[in-house]
Every structure is written in structure tokens, then in C-alpha cells.
Amino acid sequence: MRTYFDCIPCFVRQTLDAVRFVTDDEAIQAEVLRKVLRAASEMDMRMAPPAMGQQIHRLIRRLTGQDDPYRDVKDRFNRFAMGLYPEMKARVEAAADPLAAAVRVAIAGNVIDFGVRSDLTEAAVRETIDRAMGEPICGSVDDLRDAAAEARDILFLADNAGEIVFDRVLIETLPTEKVTVVVKGRPVINDATIDDARAAGLIGRVTVIDNGSDAPGTLLDTCSDAMRKRFDDADLVIAKGQGNYETLSDSEREILFLLMAKCPVIARDLGCEQGALILRRLAQTRKDTA
Amino acid sequence: MRTYFDCIPCFVRQTLDAVRFVTDDEAIQAEVLRKVLRAASEMDMRMAPPAMGQQIHRLIRRLTGQDDPYRDVKDRFNRFAMGLYPEMKARVEAAADPLAAAVRVAIAGNVIDFGVRSDLTEAAVRETIDRAMGEPICGSVDDLRDAAAEARDILFLADNAGEIVFDRVLIETLPTEKVTVVVKGRPVINDATIDDARAAGLIGRVTVIDNGSDAPGTLLDTCSDAMRKRFDDADLVIAKGQGNYETLSDSEREILFLLMAKCPVIARDLGCEQGALILRRLAQTRKDTA
């Protein structure tokens, strides 16, 4: 997905939100804001929005000297989600269609996104799960069911810390021996890294690799060669969250996207309501964006 | 009032809103957006926000070749407000305290502000009047009553087209022979110019002058010498709307501000709720901003 004009004021708002979350130093806040405004004034709008997110958060880390400013919040939401895990598992196992229930759980977990807003509460996550369990999914769960049954090799592109525990619930309904979970190579916002895969109890259960990148999404040209090869070779790629949708929706290969459409621009791009639970299989045929 | 960090994303959003309102040409929209981002990256935050608004709207006018892009909407809201005028006059004349009622009417008119959002409807204006008539004013109407009684010379800094008809209702409760109404020297957003004073029926009823400036507020250093002299010499200055508050709240002289606090930054600066009806007399003693 390209960057839309409406993404620009949102970048600036997100920058302010993020830099305030990371530091109280107004001089640093001003410097980050000015540099992001300058970068936005020159940006290539054909790039996906996370290319700007990557720049913003590199700047924040460099100017604050904090390598992983969201570490505490990632730990907190991992613990919180692990506390919910037994209940989520039980809900899925008791469901008439466990895969459909697990898809809802995984998409609900996508609300844990500090790129969108840094004031997320645990209560809001609970409400989102409850809403997701009773709401129609925009898309067919059979697309996932069929693709997962046929595939020999499933690449699951994870999104955020905390959310990755919700993803585990879904992954455990799939043939786990075929699944490789991909996390980020370096910290960016609250995106899951290898530490979060460990906190979610995924290590040892499935193969976990990192993509070598610090983009809040999957910008393939900033990923490792090994990751790019896995991406090309996998029978099925499941991409989780807005950042992965934004960076991969125009991909040459077929991808199955799972996300909550939290922003109006993405909702419009997907042709759905804001807040909708999305399961969308995009093949090469859908190349309608410039 | 200085520019706060929170004004920056709002400038960018307002730019997009305004340039889309004025033209459908995406190349011009992109150029305006990029130039505003660049200007914002370098801006002096000690300046009042309308200094940026002035730059944004100069850019939009220059790049679209439209000298007065809000002319149609100004005409429409002048006609709409003139249609409401008899009813507003009757409400004020029937009120136990006509001056207090007229203050409410004038502040309600401040909702007609295309700088804040360009999708304002006539229905929203009607709702605002109804709300304003029943809501407490944050401030004392006696401040205005006493100052107007004492003053030999009242300078009324008008704000927007349409709104200026609401201001007329208030002005007609004051000793009109003492009143000079000040409008903008050139078109900017939907700010009232001499044409709007005429449409509101003010010409001939009171003295009307223009300030020589195209800032959406009163940036004295961009006003004419004649205007600056009147500003210094007047016994009472009544300044209407957010733009005049933002540009004059740190003035050396005493000013009586009338506005609706539509944005959260101004509401915080004033220490009131967003949406509140404000009558605030600021004297030199209140110099708490940097």
C-alpha cells in the first residue's frame, strides 16, 4: 500500500505521541518533530507508510539513546496476554469452529499496537476480545483452512509483543510442524522480537526466525537474505497486522492477511469499515494500486 | 499564545483539509503539503499559530491561483446568518439580560470557522446557537458591560464571515457610535473582509476599517500603521475568535476576548473545557507565557 495524503498528519501525530512516550525532554521532542517534518516533506509517497515509521523510530532511538524504549510495555503486555492465554485456549477449544474462534482471537490481539496510540489499556484489550468473539469476520476462514491444509511450509509474519501470545492460540490450531514464525530483527515500537516469541512460549513449539529488519512491517529490501528466501519459497504466508498489510499488500506473491483495520485509510484501502476484523487472501491478480 | 507541539499535527491536518477544499488537483495538494511540512520543520515555536496559518493559506492561494477560494462559502454563511438575524435579535430583545444573550449569540457564531474544519453545516450552526443560549459563559458579562460603559472608543476585531452577522447582534447592544469594527485587509480562509461587513449590514451603522493584513488573527506586525495606532489608542479592544486570541493573548494592552474554545490546546491555555463559551479580560498582569 502506498502512502496516502491522510497518512501524513497521522505520521506527525504518531511522532509526537511516540516521542512523548519515550522521553520528557522537550528539546528532544522538538528535534524529532522537526526532523520528521523535514523527512515527510521529501518522502516518496509510493513507499509504504512503515518506511516512514522506520525512520521516525530510528530517530527517536538515536536521539534519546534508548535502544528499546518500548521494552517495559512489551513485557507488560506479554505478561498480560499470557495471563489471558488459558482462557483464550478454552474459548477456542469449546468453539463449534475452533479455527474461526482462533482467528478472532489473533485478530483481536492486533489491538495491541503502540504505533497507532501509546495509551492502550489492558481493559481496552479485554473489550476488544469480547467484541471480536461476537463479530463477523470480513473474509472467509475457509481460505485459511484450505491453504493451511495444502501447504507444506507456512510462514507466519508476527506483529507485536503481547499480540504474539494471541497469535500462538491461532498457530496451535494449525499444523505446528509446518509453521515458522517470523519476528523483527531489531526493536521498533512494540513489534515482537525474538525475546517476545520466547515470552509467548513459542520457542521450541515452532521454528522462530528473525527478519533482520527494524521496520514496523515487512519491508523486504531491509530484511535479511535468509528471510527473503523463506518468504519466496513458503507455500503459505500469513501476515499479521497493519504494518505487514501496508508493506506487503502489493506483493508479487499470494499472502493471507489477518488484521484489525484500525485506521480509516487502511479500512478504505480494504473496502471495509474501520475496526473490522479482516481475513484477506491477496493473490497477484489484485494489482489495482499504482 | 505560542505554538504548542500539539498544533503541529493539527497544522498538517488543516493544510490537507484546506487544500482539498480549494482544489481537486493532487499535484497541487502534494506541493502544498510538502511546502507546509518544510515550513513547519523550521518554524519558530514562539510565534502564534496563525503565523503558520498565514503561510499555509498564502501558499494555497498562490499555487491554485485563487485569490479568495472561500468566497462562495463566505457568501453562503453570510446569507444563512442574515436569515437567522431577525430571530437572534428577537431572542436578545426578549432576554432578561440582553447583553448576556447577545454575548452568547456572538460566541455561538464563532463556530463558523473554516480554519478548524471545512465541513461545517448550517445544521451544526443552529445546534451551536441552541446550546450556547442555555450554557453558562466562562467569564463575567459585567466585565464587558462596565468596560463598554466607560470607554469612549471601542475597537471590535471581527473574526469570520457569517459570524460577523452574529457579532452585529452584539454590537447593536453596545453604544454603536463608539464602535469601530476591524476586518481583514485581504482574504484568508473564511475570515471577514470589508465585503462581509457590508453583507452583514454593518457599513453605515458603525465605522468599519480593515487591518491591512492577511493573517487569520491579528498579527500586529503584518497590520497597517493606521490599524496599529487604533489598536494602541482604543479604550476598549474586543477581540473575537480563536485566531485573535492566539495572536493577542500575550499583548501588552488589556483586551476582552470572546470565543468558543474549539481546540484542546486553546482550551488548556484558557484553563477551560473544550467547547466552552469564553469571555476573558486579559490585562498586562497575566503574563505567564514565555
Side-chain angles (χ1 to χ4, degrees):
Chain A
M1 187 182 103
R2 70 177 183 90
T3 297
Y4 291 90
F5 288 153
D6 288 295
C7 300
I8 309 284
C10 193
F11 286 147
V12 183
R13 188 194 54 69
Q14 283 182 34
T15 301
L16 191 55
D17 182 59
V19 73
R20 281 175 168 159
F21 179 81
V22 175
T23 179
D24 292 331
D25 185 328
E26 292 204 357
I28 292 177
Q29 292 173 353
E31 192 176 351
V32 170
L33 208 49
R34 286 185 193 281
K35 287 198 153 89
V36 168
L37 289 162
R38 179 65 171 265
S41 78
E42 292 163 359
M43 90 169 283
D44 180 350
M45 303 280 287
R46 291 167 304 181
M47 300 282 284
M52 179 59 78
Q54 185 181 35
Q55 283 195 54
I56 291 169
H57 288 277
R58 279 182 182 172
L59 251 174
I60 291 176
R61 292 195 303 273
R62 182 162 62 78
L63 293 175
T64 61
Q66 293 189 54
D67 253 7
D68 192 0
Y70 291 79
R71 189 62 262 167
D72 286 352
V73 94
K74 288 189 285 188
D75 289 341
R76 183 154 67 80
F77 278 90
N78 283 332
R79 279 194 304 274
F80 170 65
M82 285 301 280
L84 294 177
Y85 173 81
E87 177 192 330
M88 293 192 287
K89 279 293 274 188
R91 278 172 104 153
V92 166
E93 282 162 8
D97 183 345
L99 182 65
V103 163
R104 285 171 201 283
V105 164
I107 297 176
N110 188 222
V111 79
I112 308 174
D113 183 345
F114 279 69
V116 173
R117 285 227 79 98
S118 68
D119 56 1
L120 181 76
T121 62
E122 296 176 0
V125 178
R126 278 186 183 280
E127 278 165 32
T128 304
I129 301 170
D130 289 339
R131 170 173 78 82
M133 295 317 281
E135 212 176 79
I137 293 167
C138 180
S140 166
V141 174
D142 287 337
D143 280 353
L144 172 59
R145 201 184 320 270
D146 298 344
E150 283 168 25
R152 286 156 306 173
D153 183 16
I154 302 172
L155 206 61
F156 187 102
L157 310 181
D159 190 23
N160 296 321
E163 178 179 356
I164 197 171
V165 178
F166 292 64
D167 294 336
R168 176 180 160 188
V169 175
L170 171 60
I171 289 164
E172 287 173 344
T173 69
L174 301 174
T176 49
E177 69 286 0
K178 299 181 187 175
V179 176
T180 298
V181 171
V182 181
V183 293
K184 302 304 189 294
R186 274 163 293 172
V188 58
I189 326 180
N190 68 322
D191 282 44
T193 62
I194 204 82
D195 293 334
D196 305 296
R198 188 173 297 112
L202 281 168
I203 309 277
R205 265 191 187 74
V206 290
T207 308
V208 180
I209 64 168
D210 83 62
N211 69 2
S213 165
D214 67 346
T218 303
L219 287 171
L220 287 167
D221 58 358
T222 75
C223 290
S224 63
D225 293 342
M227 161 60 189
R228 275 198 296 268
K229 186 164 169 23
R230 294 299 297 267
F231 180 81
D232 290 336
D233 293 348
D235 291 321
L236 170 61
V237 172
I238 302 172
K240 187 69 196 302
Q242 285 194 173
N244 282 325
Y245 177 77
E246 292 173 38
T247 45
L248 294 173
S249 67
D250 298 323
S251 173
E252 302 276 305
R253 67 155 294 152
E254 184 177 280
I255 298 174
L256 200 148
F257 294 96
L258 294 178
L259 68 149
M260 185 179 297
K262 297 180 290 277
C263 103
V265 173
I266 288 176
R268 197 165 56 226
D269 195 77
L270 282 157
C272 70
E273 295 289 301
Q274 196 174 345
L277 315 179
I278 309 289
L279 183 158
R280 180 73 58 96
R281 189 177 192 170
L282 290 184
Q284 231 180 317
T285 47
R286 182 261 193 200
K287 285 284 147 304
D288 55 343
T289 52
Chain B
M1 187 183 101
R2 70 175 181 91
T3 297
Y4 290 90
F5 288 152
D6 288 296
C7 301
I8 309 284
C10 193
F11 286 147
V12 183
R13 188 193 55 69
Q14 282 181 35
T15 301
L16 190 56
D17 182 58
V19 74
R20 280 176 168 159
F21 179 81
V22 175
T23 179
D24 291 330
D25 185 328
E26 292 205 356
I28 292 177
Q29 292 173 352
E31 192 176 350
V32 170
L33 207 49
R34 287 185 192 281
K35 287 199 154 88
V36 168
L37 288 162
R38 179 66 171 265
S41 78
E42 293 163 359
M43 89 170 283
D44 180 351
M45 304 279 288
R46 292 167 303 182
M47 299 283 283
M52 179 60 76
Q54 185 181 36
Q55 284 194 54
I56 291 169
H57 289 276
R58 280 181 182 175
L59 251 173
I60 291 175
R61 292 194 303 272
R62 183 162 60 80
L63 293 176
T64 61
Q66 294 189 53
D67 253 8
D68 192 0
Y70 290 80
R71 188 64 262 165
D72 285 351
V73 94
K74 288 189 285 188
D75 289 340
R76 182 154 67 82
F77 277 90
N78 283 332
R79 279 194 303 273
F80 170 67
M82 285 301 281
L84 293 176
Y85 174 80
E87 176 193 331
M88 293 192 287
K89 279 292 274 188
R91 276 172 104 152
V92 165
E93 282 162 7
D97 182 345
L99 182 65
V103 164
R104 285 172 201 283
V105 164
I107 296 178
N110 188 222
V111 80
I112 308 175
D113 183 345
F114 279 69
V116 172
R117 285 226 79 98
S118 68
D119 57 1
L120 182 76
T121 62
E122 296 176 359
V125 178
R126 279 186 182 279
E127 277 166 33
T128 304
I129 301 170
D130 288 340
R131 170 173 79 80
M133 296 317 281
E135 212 176 79
I137 292 167
C138 180
S140 165
V141 175
D142 287 337
D143 280 353
L144 173 59
R145 201 185 319 270
D146 298 345
E150 284 169 23
R152 285 156 306 174
D153 184 15
I154 301 173
L155 205 62
F156 188 101
L157 309 182
D159 190 21
N160 297 320
E163 178 179 356
I164 198 171
V165 178
F166 292 64
D167 294 337
R168 176 180 160 188
V169 175
L170 171 60
I171 288 164
E172 288 174 341
T173 68
L174 301 175
T176 48
E177 69 286 359
K178 299 181 186 176
V179 176
T180 299
V181 171
V182 181
V183 292
K184 302 303 190 294
R186 273 164 293 173
V188 59
I189 326 179
N190 68 322
D191 282 45
T193 63
I194 203 82
D195 292 332
D196 305 296
R198 187 172 299 112
L202 281 169
I203 309 276
R205 265 190 186 75
V206 290
T207 308
V208 180
I209 63 168
D210 83 62
N211 70 3
S213 165
D214 67 348
T218 303
L219 287 171
L220 288 166
D221 57 359
T222 75
C223 289
S224 63
D225 292 343
M227 162 61 191
R228 275 198 296 270
K229 185 162 169 26
R230 294 298 297 268
F231 180 82
D232 289 338
D233 293 348
D235 290 321
L236 170 62
V237 172
I238 301 172
K240 187 70 195 302
Q242 286 195 172
N244 282 325
Y245 177 78
E246 292 172 40
T247 46
L248 294 172
S249 67
D250 299 325
S251 172
E252 302 275 305
R253 67 155 295 151
E254 184 177 278
I255 298 174
L256 200 148
F257 294 95
L258 294 178
L259 68 149
M260 184 178 299
K262 295 179 291 277
C263 103
V265 172
I266 289 176
R268 197 165 58 226
D269 195 78
L270 282 156
C272 70
E273 297 288 302
Q274 196 174 345
L277 314 178
I278 308 289
L279 184 159
R280 181 72 59 94
R281 188 177 192 169
L282 291 183
Q284 230 180 320
T285 47
R286 183 263 194 195
K287 285 283 146 305
D288 55 343
T289 52

